[in-house]
Amino acid sequence: GLPPTLPTLPLELTILYNFLLFTVGTSDSAVEGIRQGLLRVLEACGNCGQGLSMEELWQKVLQEVTAEELQAPLHRLGALQAAWWLSDGRLSSTTILVRLLSHAEDLGRAHCHEGENELLSLLKAWQLPAEDTSLPLTQSIEYLKEMLCTTAAFLQGLQELDAGNLSTALSYLQKAAGGFCTKKVLAQIYTCLGCCTHRMGKPQTALQYLKQALQIDFQCLPALSHAAAVYHQLGETDVELQALALLYEALVRKPPAAAPSSQCFLIQMELLIHTPVLASLLRPHHPSEVKYLLAQRCLQDRRVTDAVEHYLDLLSLLQEGLQQQVPLGGSSALPRIPEIFLEAASALEQAGRHQDAITMGEEVISRTTDLIPRMLQLEKVLEQTECTSPEAALSQTKESLCCLAWRAAAFLHQGWAWAKLGESKEAITQFSRCLGDLLRVQLWGSGTEPIENLLPEVEVLQKIRLFSLIGRGMQFMELGKHKEALLDFQHGLHISPGDPAAASYLVQALWKLNRKQEAATHWQKFFQNSSGEDGKGRPCPLYLVSCLKKVMFPHRESLARSVQDFLGAKDQDLAS
């Protein structure tokens, strides 16, 4: 409550500086403390700063207060102010303040908003006043200035990285890597350098930066995660799986206590760089996410034995309730739970564990049965979205379609599993259940545009229907029911005109029925006059990829020879 006086202000401001260093976690109270300190400085000089913003208050103080003994205390408070403004992402305000501290006499430039690289040059050119050694400081302003330089470079690098200005971001991040910071932050900077160069199309350079990050701080697990992504892009599956396995082990193992630092500072860069961009780049993975990536990569690379092991481990984690700690969808690597079960069923089936695959499919069916409407008319849904809340209606429709696709895919996998067990009748039953489920949806509207162009989920349902028709037709062929098989293959071609698998099986069915002329005509139509439509459309979900391989016609060359021999013999008969 004592009035401020010039002789006591240096001590008062030094005490304020030391006190504020202990409140670094509460920036609002710290900034208010700086405001009160500056107001007391103006009061001691016979001026008033009430009602001014912090930027205006700093400008007034540095313009009107020229006492030599106050320069060092004011610069210390200015460094604290710059730190909090940087932590709030206020780079422009920080630039103006540092410009005032560096060139207080050049007030005409105080409102000049130049490029953000000016901040770095101003910080480096900032000449700190001589300190009064009789006044002890909790943290040296020289160290704080070095942190500000590194923080400014790091934050501007992150800002440019988020904006897609990769070359500029790389330059800033490299400057930050050469600055003053802890090992933990340095590892984060190298991780960001790795992400930046990866986006620039320089995977090898990215790996070098990410390796440096791990060498500096072996607990910088985001660097290991990004390295796995780079190896995936390079197609180096073995190394990618090793990186993911190390990441998983590190996540499930309790991390060792951090080694004490040789130097302790109250303000560290960790408190100044909490930005959404950095949080996204360094987002910690849950063990379940990494375990899923291991399972997914193994399944994609046909390492089905390893894939089965990882999927079963993952399902065990999820059943223990850990899925509640992991955000499904969005930024998470985990898909929806039924898709994980279906991918596991696909892996089990490919590994020859057909009964386990059937059990896995039953789990999906039981979880989704109550979520599917008895009938879903997409045309009416799309008409409703034009006059009511479109987002809610479309979201509910997409969810219903997803549930229907998962249940139908479960029946589909069960059909293939029973087929592999030699139980053709049971396989036909499951394929028929799959097709019966899909009859709940009216797939085409009355307009000229197919609904699958408006709702991508519909295309997945069409693929499931095609695979199920071909699968059921194949089982009818096994039982010698060629007419029933022919109908399924014809229906499949109606759904997907020109599909090579359906066309091949159709020709085979006609051949078995001794309708060789029709078979030859269809063969010429599908395989001599067109290239087919194989590979068109969106990629299959991972849980359907194995079905895509199962429906491939295995006897195409022999069937082609038979057709060509028939046509050749017919030509000879006509010639004679």
Side-chain angles (χ1 to χ4, degrees):
L2 297 175
T5 60
L6 284 175
T8 60
L9 272 178
L11 176 60
E12 183 178 334
L13 295 180
T14 300
I15 293 174
L16 176 62
Y17 170 79
N18 287 335
F19 170 75
L20 292 177
L21 287 173
F22 288 96
T23 63
V24 291
T26 55
S27 58
D28 291 340
S29 61
V31 172
E32 182 58 30
I34 293 176
R35 171 183 286 277
Q36 295 303 318
L38 295 179
L39 290 175
R40 287 180 66 81
V41 170
L42 288 176
E43 184 182 349
C45 297
N47 295 312
C48 178
Q50 294 292 342
L52 297 177
S53 67
M54 284 303 293
E55 291 89 343
E56 295 168 337
L57 188 57
W58 270 108
Q59 179 173 329
K60 186 175 181 63
V61 168
L62 294 175
Q63 177 184 0
E64 299 182 6
V65 177
T66 58
E68 186 67 27
E69 62 272 20
L70 291 180
Q71 295 307 303
L74 286 174
H75 277 248
R76 288 196 294 268
L77 290 182
L80 284 180
Q81 181 71 75
W84 277 298
W85 273 345
L86 279 179
S87 70
D88 288 338
R90 298 173 60 179
L91 296 176
S92 179
S93 297
T94 308
T95 302
I96 293 174
L97 175 59
V98 178
R99 190 189 301 143
L100 286 167
L101 291 167
S102 303
H103 308 285
E105 73 284 353
D106 189 6
L107 297 177
R109 297 183 57 204
H111 300 287
C112 177
H113 295 273
E114 298 184 14
E116 290 176 345
N117 57 347
E118 180 191 2
L119 177 57
L120 289 178
S121 59
L122 285 173
L123 283 169
K124 292 177 181 178
W126 183 10
Q127 297 295 321
L128 299 175
E131 294 281 3
D132 184 354
T133 56
S134 65
L135 298 175
L137 301 177
T138 307
Q139 183 169 339
S140 168
I141 189 175
E142 285 83 3
Y143 286 120
L144 189 52
K145 176 190 169 183
E146 292 298 323
M147 279 189 219
L148 290 175
C149 289
T150 308
T151 301
F154 193 13
L155 290 177
Q156 289 180 96
L158 291 172
Q159 196 174 71
E160 296 295 333
L161 182 61
D162 187 45
N165 303 322
L166 301 180
S167 297
T168 307
L170 181 64
S171 175
Y172 279 129
L173 292 172
Q174 287 173 335
K175 290 177 182 177
F180 178 82
C181 60
T182 62
K183 285 186 175 181
K184 178 180 178 180
V185 172
L186 184 58
Q188 293 177 356
I189 294 173
Y190 274 113
T191 301
C192 294
L193 280 165
C195 295
C196 182
T197 49
H198 186 200
R199 294 181 187 180
M200 294 174 74
K202 301 177 179 179
Q204 295 299 336
T205 305
L207 288 174
Q208 291 301 317
Y209 280 127
L210 295 171
K211 288 177 182 178
Q212 283 181 279
L214 290 168
Q215 289 171 354
I216 293 167
D217 180 10
F218 68 93
Q219 294 186 46
C220 186
L221 300 184
L224 192 55
S225 174
H226 286 295
V230 176
Y231 285 125
H232 177 68
Q233 184 191 42
L234 293 173
E236 298 184 21
T237 306
D238 289 335
V239 188
E240 178 197 3
L241 292 176
Q242 290 175 14
L244 288 173
L246 288 173
L247 178 59
Y248 178 76
E249 291 177 8
L251 288 170
V252 296
R253 187 175 61 241
K254 185 177 180 181
S261 174
S262 58
Q263 293 177 315
C264 180
F265 304 108
L266 296 177
I267 291 186
Q268 295 189 3
M269 275 187 63
E270 288 90 333
L271 300 171
L272 308 181
I273 56 176
H274 46 82
T275 69
V277 180
L278 185 62
S280 175
L281 293 173
L282 302 180
R283 186 184 74 83
H285 283 285
H286 191 277
S288 296
E289 296 179 279
V290 181
K291 178 59 73 172
Y292 172 72
L293 287 176
L294 280 165
Q296 180 195 57
R297 299 292 187 258
C298 287
L299 184 57
Q300 289 172 334
D301 201 51
R302 301 184 184 181
R303 307 182 186 207
V304 291
T305 302
D306 293 336
V308 166
E309 180 181 349
H310 290 309
Y311 274 115
L312 294 180
D313 289 344
L314 174 61
L315 291 173
S316 176
L317 289 174
L318 296 176
Q319 288 173 351
E320 290 172 4
L322 296 183
Q323 76 275 16
Q324 297 176 0
Q325 305 173 22
V326 187
L328 297 178
S331 61
S332 172
L334 280 176
R336 304 285 294 276
I337 297 296
E339 292 188 19
I340 296 176
F341 275 93
L342 289 171
E343 290 175 17
S346 176
L348 288 164
E349 193 183 331
Q350 293 179 66
R353 297 173 59 172
H354 305 299
Q355 287 290 354
D356 293 331
I358 293 170
T359 302
M360 200 68 67
E362 201 59 43
E363 185 72 22
V364 176
I365 294 167
S366 65
R367 287 171 178 254
T368 56
T369 296
D370 297 333
L371 303 177
I372 302 172
R374 301 181 72 177
M375 184 61 66
L376 186 60
Q377 295 178 324
L378 297 184
E379 183 180 2
K380 291 185 178 180
V381 171
L382 293 175
E383 290 174 355
Q384 292 172 359
T385 60
E386 297 177 1
C387 52
T388 59
S389 57
E391 293 184 1
L394 274 179
S395 176
Q396 181 59 45
T397 301
K398 287 174 178 285
E399 183 68 13
S400 297
L401 290 173
C402 286
C403 291
L404 181 59
W406 297 330
R407 177 181 158 95
F411 283 129
L412 178 64
H413 280 294
Q414 288 185 331
W416 289 117
W418 283 114
K420 288 293 184 180
L421 290 171
E423 299 288 343
S424 294
K425 292 183 179 179
E426 187 63 36
I428 290 171
T429 299
Q430 300 307 317
F431 287 133
S432 298
R433 288 177 178 173
C434 173
L435 294 168
D437 262 7
L438 296 176
L439 290 176
R440 301 184 186 207
V441 183
Q442 179 184 339
L443 294 179
W444 294 84
S446 58
T448 58
E449 186 176 14
I451 287 182
E452 56 256 45
N453 293 343
L454 303 174
L455 294 172
E457 293 79 7
V458 174
E459 186 172 341
V460 175
L461 294 176
Q462 293 285 55
K463 290 181 184 294
I464 294 173
R465 175 176 287 191
L466 175 64
F467 295 156
S468 192
L469 284 167
I470 295 177
R472 189 172 69 174
M474 291 169 62
Q475 295 311 302
F476 279 135
M477 295 286 285
E478 288 287 330
L479 296 175
K481 298 182 178 182
H482 302 137
K483 290 183 179 180
E484 291 86 344
L486 179 62
L487 291 174
D488 279 343
F489 300 142
Q490 287 174 332
H491 193 182
L493 279 174
H494 176 72
I495 292 173
S496 181
D499 180 79
S504 298
Y505 280 110
L506 174 67
V507 173
Q508 185 189 45
L510 289 169
W511 196 265
K512 295 283 187 181
L513 288 168
N514 203 29
R515 294 160 61 176
K516 296 185 178 181
Q517 181 58 54
E518 289 182 65
T521 302
H522 281 290
W523 181 268
Q524 290 174 315
K525 174 183 175 182
F526 291 124
F527 301 109
Q528 292 184 7
N529 301 328
S530 67
S531 58
E533 298 186 358
D534 193 23
K536 290 189 177 182
R538 298 178 182 89
C540 278
L542 182 57
Y543 60 83
L544 289 181
V545 171
S546 63
C547 299
L548 183 63
K549 297 172 184 175
K550 288 185 179 70
V551 300
M552 292 178 65
F553 187 70
H555 311 298
R556 185 168 175 176
E557 291 184 2
S558 62
L559 183 60
R561 286 195 300 269
S562 298
V563 172
Q564 289 167 358
D565 291 343
F566 171 78
L567 292 173
K570 184 179 178 182
D571 290 341
Q572 288 179 2
D573 291 341
L574 292 174
S576 61

